[in-house]
Amino acid sequence: MKNITVLGTGVLGSQIAFQTAFHGFDVVAYDIDQAALDRASDRFAGLAQRYEADAVAGGAEGGPRAAISRIRLTHDLADAVASADLVIEAVPENLELKQDIYRRIGEAAPSSTVFATNSSTLLPSALAESTARPDRFLALHFANEIWAHNTAEVMGTPATDETVYARVVEFARQIGMVPIEIKKEKAGYLLNSLLVPFLQAAGELLVDGIAEPEAIDATWRIGTSAPKGPFEIYDIVGLTTAYNISRMGDEKQQAFADLLKERYIDQGKLGVATGEGFYTYPRQA
Ligand code: NAD
């Protein structure tokens, strides 16, 4: 796979495009209009600075600055996919929107092109039929801050061709990811299948008045040598996201959502991003 196209240049799409170009691939980055592409240019410039500051290793010659020159921007969808070997889709998390874009690229891309979705919550089988090439379609799921949190969860559908799956695993490795092979479709992949119940259990301990966040976090850190406890993780994820997930849950989870809203979100305390959540940032030593 040589020519890579990324659809959507938001939080994750810009990171995927940049990481891929950083590792020497030619990348086409697509977004809906010129204004979105202008924002993408700003994101790429910011990522180049971040890669330099973090001294991200393993890139192709020229480092982060040269990566930008390997990314071509376009808002013409047919042009974006015309010579792609692999299309990675990172458009908003909306089933109809994604199905629509797969129908359009299914017609516009060469029949050999492989499609991969970065969707966090939709199973790839919900999108496979729209692609008109279910054997050449799978999920390739990255984590935010991809250069540091470099897992790439690879999850096919029952229709995904094994050779296609293996090629995508190899591509993930080539762009500096640790490919995580998932053998069956699973909502939440591996990371969220582990993380969500863990965070929910912590929320319940708080709602039930069993202990305060500091005590719960300290127990987890000291007891398992993990670097962070659940409420420190909540602050990183962002309390709005935590609220949106919790309010869809059972009675206990809804009570936790109410607590998040009243004590934190309504006060503008959204976590690390706003400087305060369960903790105040930067943290006192
Ligand atoms: P985002 O809102 O930051 O970016 C979405 C981008 O898609 C925007 O640039 C927007 O202009 C563009 N877009 C809107 N409509 C479009 C269309 N019809 N066609 C093409 N592009 C369109 O979203 P995000 O956080 O980058 O999430 C994108 C995908 O990545 C989602 O499926 C999400 O589940 C997944 N994801 C997100 C994260 C995360 O931490 N943000 C992590 C892993 C996976």
Side-chain angles (χ1 to χ4, degrees):
M1 286 169 166
K2 287 202 172 74
N3 299 319
I4 313 300
T5 293
V6 179
L7 306 179
T9 58
V11 175
L12 254 285
S14 61
Q15 294 179 18
I16 298 165
F18 193 86
Q19 176 77 11
T20 305
F22 180 65
H23 281 269
F25 288 83
D26 287 324
V27 177
V28 178
Y30 163 85
D31 213 304
I32 41 175
D33 56 23
Q34 191 54 48
L37 295 181
D38 291 344
R39 287 193 294 278
S41 297
D42 292 343
R43 285 182 193 274
F44 293 139
L47 285 167
Q49 281 177 359
R50 188 71 195 273
Y51 275 53
E52 277 173 359
D54 290 4
V56 179
E61 209 172 310
R65 297 282 146 191
I68 296 181
S69 65
R70 285 190 284 272
I71 305 174
R72 180 169 75 82
L73 296 168
T74 180
H75 52 73
D76 178 335
L77 188 60
D79 168 49
V81 300
S83 51
D85 299 315
L86 171 67
V87 174
I88 304 171
E89 168 273 307
V91 305
E93 193 72 343
N94 174 303
L95 178 65
E96 285 78 33
L97 189 151
K98 286 191 195 274
Q99 285 174 333
D100 176 59
I101 207 155
Y102 280 113
R103 270 192 287 274
R104 288 159 59 201
I105 63 170
E107 286 172 14
S111 58
S112 58
T113 307
V114 172
F115 296 166
T117 181
N118 182 46
S119 173
S120 292
T121 62
L122 301 168
L123 288 177
S125 56
L127 300 165
E129 286 312 314
S130 313
T131 67
R133 62 190 75 200
D135 57 326
R136 298 182 160 270
F137 173 68
L138 76 181
L140 176 61
H141 184 240
F142 298 90
N144 196 12
E145 305 207 337
I146 152 175
W147 61 94
H149 304 150
N150 62 330
T151 53
E153 296 178 287
V154 189
M155 188 167 81
T157 75
T160 307
D161 184 293
E162 277 176 30
T163 320
V164 168
Y165 186 97
R167 285 172 66 205
V168 172
V169 167
E170 180 51 28
F171 164 76
R173 202 169 277 126
Q174 285 172 350
I175 62 163
M177 298 290 115
V178 176
I180 307 291
E181 298 190 33
I182 302 182
K183 295 176 184 298
K184 286 182 182 173
E185 277 196 292
K186 168 79 179 141
Y189 302 83
L190 297 193
L191 179 60
N192 284 336
S193 296
L194 295 164
L195 186 61
V196 172
F198 167 67
L199 294 179
Q200 285 178 343
E204 275 192 38
L205 290 172
L206 180 63
V207 164
D208 287 344
I210 309 289
E212 290 300 316
E214 290 80 358
I216 298 168
D217 282 349
T219 307
W220 186 255
R221 284 195 314 266
I222 298 166
T224 68
S225 301
K228 290 189 168 55
F231 293 95
E232 294 169 296
I233 297 175
Y234 269 125
D235 274 354
I236 294 170
V237 170
L239 301 193
T240 310
T241 301
Y243 169 78
N244 285 331
I245 296 172
S246 304
R247 76 194 173 97
M248 314 287 273
D250 62 16
E251 221 172 288
K252 279 274 166 62
Q253 288 306 310
Q254 288 173 24
F256 180 59
D258 292 343
L259 179 152
L260 284 172
K261 185 167 184 316
E262 283 158 27
R263 288 200 210 162
Y264 299 98
I265 296 172
D266 286 351
Q267 329 291 325
K269 298 175 183 175
L270 306 182
V272 174
T274 59
E276 191 166 358
F278 287 104
Y279 299 94
T280 304
Y281 300 89
R283 294 286 290 281
Q284 307 298 323

